[in-house]
Amino acid sequence: MWSLCMAVALLPLGVADAKGKAAHDMQGGTATVVLPSFESLDPQVGFSTINGEAEWNVYTPLLTVAHANGVAGTQVIPGLAIGLPKVTNRGKTYTLKLRKGLRFSNGQAVKASDFAFTVERALKLNWGGDSFLISDIKGALAYQSGKASSVSGITTNNATGRITIRLIQADSAFADILTFTGLGLVPSTTPMTAESTKLPAGVGAYVIKNVVPNQSFTLVKNPRFARFDLPGIPVGHLNEIQASVDTNPLTAEQDVLNNRIDVLDPNFAISPSLISTLQTQASGRYRSVPTEGVQYIFFNTKIAPFNHKSARVAVTEAFDRGAITRIEAGFLRPGCFVLPEEFPGRSTQPCPYGKVSAAPQVAKARALIQAAHLTGSPVTVWTQAASPYDAMGAYYVSVLDGIGFKATLKTISPAIYYPTTANPTLNIQTGLAAYYADYPDPTTFYHLLDARSITPTFSPNRDQLDDPKVQATLMRLGGQSLTPSVIAQWQKLDEYVAKQAYWLVMGYPKDPELFSNRIDVKETIFNQKYLSDWSSWQLVRR
Amino acid sequence: MLKRILKDRLALSCGLIFLIVAVLSLSAPLVAQYVAHTGPNDEHITATIGSGVHRRYVVSLVGVPIGPTWGPRFFLGADSNGRDILVRLLYGGRASLAVGFIAAAITLTLATILGVAAGFYRGWLDAVIVRILDLMWAYPVILLAIAIGTVLAVSGITIGPITIRAGSLLLPAIIIGIVHIPYVAKPVRGQVLVIRKREFIDATRVLGMSPRRIMIREVVPNVATSLAVFAPLMVANSILLEAGLSFLGVGVLPPNPSWGNMIGQGISLISVAPTGVLAPGLMLVAAVIGVNGFGEGVRRALDPHGRIRPR
């Protein structure tokens, strides 16, 4: 159903088909894009959605996802590998073969051993998605903790290009994990240190140059890439894409609206004051796209007060999702389950603590807090120092104060928000977060509640949750294909997590897309994993 | 001095402006309780006001807040969180003025101690204090305040048995009070260097007064007039710096209101809810002009060569 809706919604915008669109292609030129922030562009360091957008066309992994709109964009396709992996040993061994004749953007030949090096580099540099590797690949944890000199689960043969990956247990989503840009191959000669300005070479349509951390960078076409002719992987239209950061959404949006900048990154939150203007003055180049993401409040279950279920339930009861939807200018579909609407495994049951549109039960929540002797407990709420997250944080603080907590708000720069809140040593009690599906499997969301995701320095499991029931289900379902019985078990888990109120799910976001009148909007692609596909941008033929 | 100030209409007008701002700010709890019936941090995002065809959302479905109603509730409109701008404006005034006065008091106290000690004792103590003041002076005041504010806004500060939590009003007041010290301490030191050579100081020494007593009983009273001129200027500067820091998110921390953070929060909605920026901006201008104008009047009144110009 979801896919059908997406297909219908995106039909007028066209679906990527490199050969079919040849007649419309407009090559060359320079475009500009404005971003709200970006992390380190070293592929084995940054893990944000914004980084993924920029790196998708720069660091091609062995497998990648189709450059297509809607559900077609979640399809795994070969990247630098010849074909999809051969899965043997009951799902525990993946064998791939590297394409021949590939070269990095610096001219070095690509070898099978570069994959092993890339994984090792991602582990050593604590790449944001390293928990995926640690929980799946044999020997990844031992390598990261310094107990082994290489990842024992990966063997490569440079002569044949054969790459074998052995898993700890079967994981049906492992092919999707291999599509992360963090596993985009880099040469084995790359330093084992995080690079902020002199980035590693990659294999992709573009090369990242002129990086000024937190300010700007440029994607320049990689002249070598076109001759590899990788099926389904575009070579890009523009010669150059200049990206810059503007932390003020209003000026960023006005710059694109007035054609001073060509593309507004979908990670921006559209300012309410501009919505009617956009709808009237830029209707052909502005739209909001439902995404497979979730916006939620995490509760650290290891420390007070949210180690008490009644504290979490009380907040859930008192929270008004309608208020948050308004703060987000309508760019949120309210919900209560971890998995977004129509996502496989999403619960079909009603929300356990009342309808999402129901009025908040403040008196009931206050009674719960009193009964648990938690009245007056101090709570620090973490959020990003950017609109609308600061306003959302302020609303959350008012909810906590209203039910008897003594809440304070802590806002930090968006550029460091996610790595900071994932640091378990800071003992962060609660905060706002969002996550976008990386692949169409419930594990993409549930790794955020998986105890195996907790590492000493970086824990995407911000709840620090280690619930035996959740853990047992994740261990059991992690490797299985999404058959009806498996989906039913995921649904049960989704219900259980909502009942335990491990997260306060606010809803599922919609992302804005806004282009200048220089960009051929009909040809642009919005990918579910990497959002705006920079390789699809082309100038309007005049 | 009082007679001279009372004859200075400009100073009196400015003082009156500031007085009005201060009284309005002090009346915040009364306005909140008896007029607007809401607190500064109370959110009414999904609430409506009016009835029948006049019923309106406080915040629309696409996040646009209500404009001025010119009535008891939402007199100046609401912000994006459905909070009453007037109530926040008045509470924000309390925060801004409190920070301004506390910071000015910190600056004047510490600057007097350091300036008098450096100028009176001279020698190595003077050299150390002057170098530290030079270092602070050389660093742009707003950047220094941001740097200190960013560190302390996250963790708070503990000095001996005293702990100031992140989010406390004292934190921005202390930061602003400290970064302004050189601007007062250096002129005070210069004045003390002159005073210490005066004959009456020699006389007190001959009488056997201890250096500490000389400083307290003889030197400080002689720099008091300068401090009286500095005081309103420091209050004005501190209010402005607090607004700047709060605008940048390192002063008074949200959700507590201050004029600076109200401007920062309202700026993204300026085209649809301009009162969210204009109202705190105007209050800020009024407060600063009021204090500065009055301070200038004090300076004129204390200036032995100055005369009140006939009008």
Side-chain angles (χ1 to χ4, degrees), chain A residues 89 92-93 123 133-143 150-154 165-169:
Chain A
N89 189 21
K92 291 205 286 189
T93 304
L123 290 165
L133 308 177
I134 291 165
S135 58
D136 272 350
I137 301 176
K138 258 189 190 172
L141 183 60
Y143 177 78
S150 62
V151 178
S152 60
I154 299 175
I165 309 162
R166 290 190 306 283
L167 306 188
I168 299 164
Q169 74 244 334

Side-chain angles (χ1 to χ4, degrees), chain A residues 141-263:
Chain A
L141 183 60
Y143 177 78
Q144 192 181 49
S145 54
K147 291 175 187 161
S149 58
S150 62
V151 178
S152 60
I154 299 175
T155 47
T156 58
N157 184 325
N158 286 339
T160 62
R162 192 183 167 94
I163 297 163
T164 307
I165 309 162
R166 290 190 306 283
L167 306 188
I168 299 164
Q169 74 244 334
D171 181 358
S172 60
F174 187 69
D176 294 292
I177 290 165
L178 290 175
T179 67
F180 281 118
T181 52
L183 300 182
L185 268 61
V186 297
S188 306
T189 51
T190 308
M192 262 307 182
T193 50
E195 303 289 325
S196 58
T197 52
K198 204 178 161 203
L199 298 172
V203 185
Y206 291 94
V207 177
I208 301 177
K209 289 193 168 166
N210 309 326
V211 182
V212 181
N214 302 319
Q215 285 184 31
S216 60
F217 61 91
T218 306
L219 257 65
V220 181
K221 218 164 190 183
N222 175 4
R224 287 192 173 86
F225 188 69
R227 74 179 77 127
F228 304 146
D229 195 21
L230 302 183
I233 302 181
V235 295
H237 296 87
L238 296 162
N239 286 339
E240 200 172 294
I241 301 169
Q242 295 167 353
S244 60
V245 168
D246 187 343
T247 53
N248 184 343
L250 192 63
T251 54
E253 287 150 17
Q254 281 172 335
D255 280 344
V256 182
L257 179 66
N258 297 321
N259 301 305
R260 288 189 289 268
I261 290 177
D262 294 313
V263 185

Side-chain angles (χ1 to χ4, degrees), chain A residues 233-312:
Chain A
I233 302 181
V235 295
H237 296 87
L238 296 162
N239 286 339
E240 200 172 294
I241 301 169
Q242 295 167 353
S244 60
V245 168
D246 187 343
T247 53
N248 184 343
L250 192 63
T251 54
E253 287 150 17
Q254 281 172 335
D255 280 344
V256 182
L257 179 66
N258 297 321
N259 301 305
R260 288 189 289 268
I261 290 177
D262 294 313
V263 185
L264 181 83
D265 186 80
N267 289 286
F268 272 106
I270 291 281
S271 172
S273 60
L274 268 187
I275 287 179
S276 61
T277 311
L278 291 173
Q279 284 165 346
T280 53
Q281 291 180 22
S283 59
R285 49 194 176 96
Y286 162 70
R287 61 181 174 169
S288 73
V289 190
T291 56
E292 286 182 322
V294 60
Q295 286 202 341
Y296 64 99
I297 287 168
F298 62 86
F299 300 116
N300 189 332
T301 56
K302 285 277 181 273
I303 54 173
F306 298 117
N307 52 351
H308 294 266
K309 182 184 173 186
S310 45
R312 302 191 301 267

Side-chain angles (χ1 to χ4, degrees), chain B residues 37-230:
Chain B
H37 303 290
T38 182
N41 296 337
D42 292 349
E43 310 209 347
H44 306 278
I45 302 172
T46 51
T48 55
I49 61 163
S51 58
V53 289
H54 299 294
R55 194 169 146 167
R56 286 185 291 168
Y57 282 118
V58 174
V59 178
S60 80
L61 293 171
V62 292
V64 178
I66 195 168
T69 62
W70 310 119
R73 295 190 70 201
F74 302 105
F75 179 80
L76 291 174
D79 67 6
S80 58
N81 282 57
R83 296 172 295 201
D84 192 313
I85 289 177
L86 176 67
V87 174
R88 285 179 69 75
L89 185 73
L90 301 185
Y91 270 99
R94 287 159 69 96
S96 295
L97 296 181
V99 170
F101 276 100
I102 296 170
I106 291 170
T107 302
L108 293 172
T109 307
L110 294 180
T112 305
I113 293 168
L114 291 173
V116 169
F120 188 81
Y121 285 114
R122 305 213 55 190
W124 66 269
L125 183 68
D126 183 36
V128 170
I129 291 173
V130 168
R131 291 294 86 76
I132 292 170
L133 293 177
D134 281 344
L135 265 177
M136 289 170 73
W137 191 298
Y139 210 83
V141 67
I142 189 106
L143 289 184
L144 184 60
I146 289 171
I148 302 172
T150 306
V151 174
L152 299 186
V154 174
S155 55
I157 185 172
T158 302
I159 309 164
I162 304 163
T163 298
I164 303 168
R165 282 183 59 199
S168 164
L169 274 185
L170 276 177
L171 217 48
I174 290 172
I175 294 164
I176 294 166
I178 289 171
V179 297
H180 277 153
I181 285 174
Y183 297 87
V184 179
K186 290 195 92 174
V188 166
R189 173 186 167 270
Q191 214 175 341
V192 173
L193 286 176
V194 175
I195 292 169
R196 73 189 295 274
K197 289 180 184 164
R198 301 271 291 271
E199 286 158 357
F200 72 93
I201 298 291
D202 290 338
T204 55
R205 282 201 182 105
V206 171
L207 286 171
M209 277 172 88
S210 69
R212 213 174 82 179
R213 202 156 169 221
I214 295 171
M215 280 191 284
I216 295 168
R217 296 282 298 271
E218 306 297 334
V219 178
V220 172
N222 275 284
V223 295
T225 48
S226 301
L227 295 176
V229 173
F230 274 122

